[in-house]
Amino acid sequence: VVAALTKKVKKKKYQMAAVKESGEKLWTLPFDARFPNQNQTRNCWQNYVDYFRCQKIKGEDYTPCEYFKKVYSHVCPDAWVEQWNEQRENGSFAGKI
Amino acid sequence: MSTWSQINLMDPSSYIMSQMNLFHDHAMILLVGIFVFVILMGVSLLKNKFHGRLVHEAQTLEIVWTIVPALLLVWLALPSLRLLYLMDEHPQSSNTLKAIGHQWYWSYELPAKDNMMLDSYMLPEESLESGQYRLLEVDNRPAVPYSFDTMIITTSSDVIHAWTLPSLGIKMDAVPGRLNSMNINPFVPGIFYGQCSEICGANHSYMPIVVEAISMEDFTNL
């Protein structure tokens, strides 16, 4: 009985580890204390603007800037990102980069 | 999903919702108790032949019927506040799902799958298969992993809509120009249904929300 139970526990632990591992492959935006509440609009805006500011200051090949891009692509709807990209190209973007 | 003769809340699919169901039961105990008490008092008042011409002030009675309701309200408030703060917790989520409301469909973006986009239109009655639910089924439904926290970010491209999944206990307005975030954590795999909950025009009743909760393994292999 003990052997059977031990086998069950081991199998469960293996399954839980597998689930945890596959969960760790997923990345999502971490908690940002500047935006602790429900309204994440500013989170999206700030990371979008910070990405381009980072690129401007550090150059386009500076890979740590990609963190901001990762965050804004998770938070911001594609439509907003496309609209802002167009505005930046037109020179009509409201943010200061 | 709700069935035609349903009068109670839906079966919960997340711990928050099951806590809400329990709190609902708790509140109903109080309300039904008060209601029955009032009915009894009313019937008794009408039927008895007692008179109280000489009763003045009645201090004890006044004290009792002030303190007892106050205690009953405290009894109601403590679990209520506990649930309120429980709902307000923001666990670090494992996954994000963006839900954008349009007139009159939902579109979803899954950042975990390279921002895969899905447009989710209601299936018209003519194209329903046997066993499918009228006004609830959609052509494409997003998937989330069960037993993991998923952050839902909702907004709208035109008018205000509202994204809701009653069995997960969430409802959030999808406001144009604003990103509202909420967390879901289904504890079972399954398909969850909801309907747009903010009047948004002619087809407001015909833009349902369907989410499928699958295992994390299946989700990563999607």
Side-chain angles (χ1 to χ4, degrees):
Chain A
V1 169
V2 171
L5 281 173
T6 325
K7 207 173 160 191
K8 253 191 172 177
V9 166
K10 270 193 183 161
K11 186 177 176 199
K12 185 77 186 170
K13 275 191 177 167
Y14 171 75
Q15 280 175 339
M16 286 177 72
V19 166
K20 192 166 178 261
E21 194 199 298
S22 46
E24 277 161 359
K25 284 192 208 147
L26 287 183
W27 183 92
T28 193
L29 54 143
F31 173 70
D32 191 335
R34 297 173 296 169
F35 317 105
N37 299 320
Q38 229 170 53
N39 185 1
Q40 297 289 301
T41 318
R42 202 71 194 173
N43 191 354
C44 157
W45 167 262
Q46 200 59 60
N47 280 288
Y48 181 84
V49 159
D50 284 349
Y51 174 64
F52 293 102
R53 286 176 184 168
C54 178
Q55 282 201 323
K56 189 177 177 193
I57 294 170
K58 293 285 188 183
E60 289 192 12
D61 296 330
Y62 190 65
T63 39
C65 290
E66 295 301 308
Y67 169 80
F68 296 118
K69 183 165 188 170
K70 224 174 162 188
V71 172
Y72 85 64
S73 66
H74 271 246
V75 190
C76 305
D78 273 358
W80 290 20
V81 173
E82 280 166 18
Q83 186 188 27
W84 288 341
N85 287 343
E86 263 179 54
Q87 286 177 348
R88 274 188 310 109
E89 278 154 33
N90 289 346
S92 60
F93 185 63
K96 196 172 147 195
I97 293 179
Chain B
M1 48 154 284
S2 300
T3 49
W4 62 274
S5 57
Q6 183 172 329
I7 48 173
N8 296 320
L9 297 169
M10 272 193 205
D11 282 346
S13 307
S14 72
Y15 291 116
I16 294 288
M17 188 56 190
S18 61
Q19 289 295 313
M20 287 204 229
N21 280 9
L22 292 170
F23 177 69
H24 182 259
D25 292 343
H26 180 88
M28 285 306 278
I29 292 168
L30 181 67
L31 294 178
V32 169
I34 291 171
F35 182 68
V36 165
F37 176 73
V38 169
I39 297 275
L40 282 174
M41 287 291 113
V43 166
S44 150
L45 274 170
L46 289 169
K47 291 189 82 173
N48 75 41
K49 293 187 171 43
F50 301 134
H51 52 267
R53 282 186 310 121
L54 304 172
V55 173
H56 290 290
E57 293 183 12
Q59 296 285 22
T60 323
L61 181 62
E62 294 267 353
I63 289 168
V64 166
W65 73 23
T66 307
I67 301 277
V68 169
L71 290 174
L72 287 175
L73 285 175
V74 169
W75 186 70
L76 185 64
L78 293 177
S80 173
L81 288 171
R82 175 190 158 267
L83 181 57
L84 188 66
Y85 281 88
L86 194 67
M87 280 162 51
D88 217 22
E89 282 186 12
H90 295 294
Q92 174 56 45
S93 37
S94 313
N95 182 36
T96 312
L97 172 67
K98 289 179 254 180
I100 296 125
H102 306 261
Q103 279 179 315
W104 286 279
Y105 65 99
W106 291 94
S107 69
Y108 298 100
E109 291 169 21
L110 283 82
K113 303 282 153 199
D114 289 326
N115 260 343
M116 170 165 88
M117 292 186 61
L118 294 167
D119 281 345
S120 185
Y121 283 86
M122 184 187 84
L123 286 183
E125 248 176 279
E126 309 84 64
S127 43
L128 286 176
E129 289 171 9
S130 161
Q132 285 189 311
Y133 305 116
R134 190 179 146 263
L135 305 186
L136 284 176
E137 298 286 356
V138 294
D139 52 2
N140 293 319
R141 48 187 190 231
V144 296
Y146 75 90
S147 281
F148 284 86
D149 290 289
T150 297
M151 176 154 83
I152 312 282
I153 297 175
T154 184
T155 184
S156 166
S157 63
D158 35 51
V159 297
I160 303 181
H161 301 269
W163 202 84
T164 178
L165 287 176
S167 64
L168 294 171
I170 49 158
K171 183 178 295 190
M172 187 72 66
D173 274 3
V175 180
R178 182 181 164 109
L179 297 174
N180 278 331
S181 69
M182 59 193 129
N183 254 294
I184 60 167
N185 191 338
F187 57 50
V188 282
I191 306 178
F192 309 114
Y193 297 91
Q195 294 174 291
C196 177
S197 301
E198 187 65 38
I199 186 81
C200 52
N203 287 351
H204 157 68
S205 314
Y206 309 114
M207 48 182 292
I209 295 139
V210 188
V211 166
E212 189 166 346
I214 57 180
S215 68
M216 179 53 96
E217 272 182 79
D218 289 338
F219 183 76
T220 46
N221 296 335
L222 260 182

